[in-house]
Amino acid sequence: MTTPRVNPNKRLEDQGIVGVSKAYYNLLEPALVEAAIQRGEGRLGLGGAFLASTGTHTGRSPKDKFVVRSPEVENKIWWENNAPMAQAAFDQLHADMLAHLQGREVFVQDLYGGADPAHRLDVRVVTELAWHGLFIRHLLRRPAAEELATFEPEFTIINCPSFKADPARHGCRSETVIALDLSRKIILIANTAYAGENKKSVFTLLNYILPEKGVMPMHCSANHALDDPQDSAVFFGLSGTGKTTLSADPARILIGDDEHGWSDTGIFNFEGGCYAKTINLDAEAEPEIYATTHRFASVVENMVYDPDTLELDFTDDSLTANTRVAYPLDAISNASETSLGGVPKNIIMLTCDAFGVLPPIARLTPAQAMYHFLSGFTSKVAGTEQGVTEPQPTFSTCFGAPFMPRRPEVYGKLLQEKIARFGAECWLVNTGWTGGAYGTGSRMPIKATRALLSAALDGSLREVEFRRDPNFGFDVPVSVPGVADVLLDPRRTWEDGAAYDRQAAKLVGMFAENFAQYVPYIDDEVKQAAIG
């Protein structure tokens, strides 16, 4: 294995990481695949994809994530959402992990978080596993060879899956820990091989750093018009709302599918790749994502496969339903080469309403947009979890609470200001149920959703007649070409209007109960939006 160029003044020894048997700096994809195979970390799959298993941890460990409670960040962190760790405990964890690495091989990747040079974060990722280096090389952005000669890591991530934390010694909850010291600019990850912890740690960093620069960090997908990068749109949404599917429009250019920033000059992808779910992935419905599972150096994570033929089983969730593939953006034919777009003209907030109350699309004022952004609503449906017998609301503020180190209203106010300043149109899109709640009604027709989104993005939706929704106070189109009028009025889709009214009142009450926590921190305009 060769060692590509690296800043000679920024080797691990200069960061206090000493005694490792060998450090491999910035290996390219072929060398990382070769190293991972030689070290027995996984298997080479069809087409040269790397097949990895993460063992016990097949998803993130949010209850094991901590932020060091230093004086510098004491008044900046949303402590109700971020578990604190004492500085002394972190220092002990850091020292013990560095001692654990002595005599071991490590793989170092120097990468950027963010496509915009004005706002990107220089991150060094030090991993025990070669395939983790391959993964993060896909998911973050790769400097050119000449840039590595002067690369200055601002933050360093040290990931040791083989190290087990000691709660009594390290001030954590279990043997697994993800600890962020925002003052010392170090992140420690231990006792989990789930690769997503690496990328989400960088997302958390950007969510902390960028608001003070006036940049809005967003858990969203984004695209722009084929012939106009300035005509961009962002799609907020929790899992199951259609964020990836609806933004991957062949009639538009994909900027990114998960994490973006919004500066005064436009939007930019934080990442250089995608981390797509593969459970029940269909070759006909999503051919390009499917193809990445058989692409050289893609990382296929926790998928079941035939040990002899290496054929992947896209329906087998015996290891986890959270099966994934990681690949660079250039694997997608309509992906942007720059990962940049103009200031968004349209903000789409996606929700899957299993109560059958919300219309398929609604226009939001800036204050209403902040209300729904802070609410971050979607819903679980009966049968998805034991004991769930009717739709249950899920509120994840800012459409990404686990990655928000600052209080939600910091992000909400920043979004509200940018929408008002730049005049973006805001839309709430329900991809959930119509004609009744889950179990009675039916799923919103994808054809109707796409027609409504197209009308919003091309501007034609602004020209139609709107009515005021009596439950939430937002504007709902009365008639849109290509969409049945009855679908635009949820109450009319129910056989029993009184039953709809009761369900609507119930959902409004759930929104109000959840939003009460933000009322002390918001302005009167948003408070008015909260009561419809």
Side-chain angles (χ1 to χ4, degrees):
M1 290 178 285
T2 59
T3 303
R5 291 174 62 182
V6 63
N7 185 342
N9 299 315
K10 290 298 176 182
R11 293 186 175 271
L12 294 183
E13 295 86 346
D14 300 300
Q15 297 180 275
I17 303 175
V18 297
V20 301
S21 65
K22 179 69 175 179
Y24 297 100
Y25 292 88
N26 299 306
L27 295 182
L28 304 182
E29 289 80 356
L32 288 167
V33 171
E34 181 182 27
I37 297 297
Q38 289 177 347
R39 290 161 52 89
E41 296 176 2
R43 294 193 65 179
L44 191 67
L46 298 177
F50 182 76
L51 309 180
S53 172
T54 62
T56 303
H57 295 81
T58 57
R60 292 182 298 102
S61 301
K63 293 182 179 179
D64 294 307
K65 187 175 180 179
F66 297 85
V67 176
V68 173
R69 197 161 197 161
S70 65
E72 181 180 335
V73 305
E74 173 66 36
N75 298 321
K76 299 178 181 179
I77 300 299
W78 180 23
W79 294 113
E80 293 87 348
N81 187 59
N82 294 270
M85 175 178 280
Q87 184 70 66
F90 180 91
D91 292 345
Q92 187 64 63
L93 176 65
H94 185 216
D96 290 347
M97 286 180 65
L98 293 188
H100 178 79
L101 285 177
Q102 291 185 14
R104 298 172 183 266
E105 292 184 334
V106 296
F107 296 83
V108 182
Q109 287 288 322
D110 293 326
L111 301 161
Y112 297 137
D116 185 345
H119 302 296
R120 72 189 179 198
L121 185 68
D122 297 355
V123 182
R124 167 164 284 182
V125 184
V126 182
T127 68
E128 277 189 297
L129 298 173
W131 79 264
H132 272 199
L134 179 64
F135 170 90
I136 203 63
R137 187 170 174 81
H138 290 331
L139 267 296
L140 293 186
R141 302 191 64 83
R142 298 162 292 284
E146 59 272 16
E147 293 176 303
L148 292 174
T150 57
F151 188 92
E152 297 280 344
E154 184 175 356
F155 273 84
T156 299
I157 298 173
I158 302 174
N159 190 326
C160 299
S162 67
F163 180 86
K164 296 184 184 296
D166 179 345
R169 182 177 174 86
H170 301 129
C172 49
R173 189 187 70 96
S174 72
E175 293 179 334
T176 302
V177 65
I178 302 96
L180 292 79
D181 189 334
L182 298 169
S183 300
R184 291 185 61 188
K185 300 184 176 181
I186 299 171
I187 298 175
L188 304 175
I189 303 173
N191 195 47
T192 172
Y194 182 66
E197 298 287 11
N198 296 290
K199 101 180 192 86
K200 287 305 184 186
S201 293
V202 176
F203 185 38
T204 303
L205 286 179
L206 290 165
N207 281 328
Y208 174 74
I209 293 168
L210 292 180
E212 289 188 349
K213 300 173 69 175
V215 177
M216 175 68 192
M218 304 177 292
H219 189 206
C220 69
S221 56
N223 62 27
H224 68 68
L226 283 175
D227 57 353
D228 185 4
Q230 299 305 308
D231 182 3
S232 70
V234 299
F235 299 75
F236 291 101
L238 297 167
S239 180
T241 59
K243 175 166 59 90
T244 299
T245 299
L246 293 172
S247 63
D249 183 345
R252 293 175 67 85
I253 298 295
L254 179 68
I255 300 173
D257 79 332
D258 198 37
E259 302 167 5
H260 295 81
W262 180 355
S263 72
D264 288 347
T265 58
I267 58 175
F268 58 98
N269 194 352
F270 290 166
E271 301 182 303
C274 301
Y275 191 32
K277 289 185 178 181
T278 59
I279 193 69
N280 298 319
L281 185 64
D282 185 86
E284 292 186 9
E286 297 184 90
E288 289 198 308
I289 296 177
Y290 184 90
T292 67
T293 63
H294 301 83
R295 183 182 191 272
F296 177 73
S298 286
V299 175
V300 175
E301 194 177 69
N302 292 321
M303 286 192 69
V304 175
Y305 57 88
D306 186 292
D308 297 319
T309 68
L310 300 177
E311 290 286 346
L312 299 171
D313 189 337
F314 290 87
T315 64
D316 193 330
D317 63 357
S318 58
L319 293 178
T320 178
N322 188 36
T323 56
R324 299 269 186 168
V325 59
Y327 53 90
L329 271 171
D330 61 20
I332 303 301
S333 61
N334 70 325
S336 167
E337 293 183 2
T338 64
S339 294
L340 302 173
V343 170
K345 292 184 177 180
N346 287 279
I347 309 292
I348 313 296
M349 297 185 185
L350 300 168
T351 182
C352 177
D353 173 25
F355 296 84
V357 169
L358 295 175
I361 195 165
R363 184 173 60 191
L364 306 176
T365 65
Q368 289 170 338
M370 181 177 177
Y371 173 71
H372 285 278
F373 179 71
L374 289 176
S375 296
F377 167 72
T378 192
S379 48
K380 297 176 183 178
V381 297
T384 58
E385 293 183 9
Q386 187 175 356
V388 177
T389 58
E390 63 178 10
Q392 292 186 356
T394 298
F395 294 95
S396 182
T397 188
C398 307
F399 296 98
F403 322 115
M404 302 297 165
R406 296 179 183 269
R407 283 203 55 86
E409 58 272 9
V410 171
Y411 307 102
K413 288 178 180 177
L414 192 53
L415 181 65
Q416 183 185 14
E417 291 167 1
K418 287 191 177 297
I419 290 171
R421 176 182 174 188
F422 294 106
E425 290 273 12
C426 301
W427 310 92
L428 182 70
V429 172
N430 173 26
T431 61
W433 270 257
T434 183
Y438 173 82
T440 301
S442 57
R443 195 72 189 257
M444 195 71 68
I446 185 66
K447 184 177 180 180
T449 300
R450 290 192 181 279
L452 291 167
L453 274 176
S454 294
L457 296 178
D458 68 21
S460 61
L461 197 56
R462 303 188 195 111
E463 309 304 320
V464 307
E465 179 186 355
F466 284 81
R467 64 175 178 85
R468 186 176 186 273
D469 181 82
N471 299 303
F472 288 92
F474 42 49
D475 291 337
V476 180
V478 174
S479 180
V480 178
V483 179
D485 290 354
V486 65
L487 199 64
L488 297 168
D489 187 348
R491 192 177 191 276
R492 290 174 57 198
T493 67
W494 284 52
E495 290 185 5
D496 185 345
Y500 170 85
D501 293 339
R502 290 191 297 271
Q503 186 84 320
K506 180 179 179 180
L507 184 59
V508 169
M510 292 175 180
F511 265 83
E513 182 180 0
N514 171 74
F515 200 77
Q517 61 186 303
Y518 307 121
V519 170
Y521 307 99
I522 59 176
D523 57 36
D524 291 340
E525 189 177 6
V526 179
K527 289 178 183 176
Q528 187 63 36
I531 62 175

